[in-house]
Amino acid sequence: MASNAAVPFWRSAGMTYITYSNLCANLVRQCLKEPYKSEALNREKVHFSVSQWVDGKPQKPSN
């Protein structure tokens, strides 16, 4: 049986690595000075659309 000593602290806190990574990235972005802070916050925004596929063809996308 494996020891809990080898478990990363983010895992023992009940987080996934992605959650931990996003938390750290947000903290770093908040610590930046202007104009770097606003540039980093603008890069954080993500735009995407979702389309339903029927009979192998995409339908009109929705936001």
Side-chain angles (χ1 to χ4, degrees):
M1 183 170 247
S3 169
N4 284 345
V7 176
F9 68 92
W10 49 266
R11 175 63 71 195
S12 62
M15 302 172 92
T16 63
Y17 182 75
I18 297 296
T19 305
Y20 166 72
S21 175
N22 285 336
L23 178 69
C24 292
N26 287 332
L27 288 171
V28 169
R29 285 185 204 107
Q30 293 300 320
C31 293
L32 292 172
K33 293 182 180 179
E34 290 297 339
Y36 306 110
K37 183 176 184 177
S38 59
E39 290 174 8
L41 290 174
N42 284 336
R43 281 194 305 265
E44 183 181 26
K45 296 176 185 172
V46 177
H47 302 284
F48 63 93
S49 63
V50 177
S51 299
Q52 292 288 332
W53 286 70
V54 177
D55 296 327
K57 297 181 182 178
Q59 302 300 306
K60 185 176 179 183
S62 62
N63 291 345

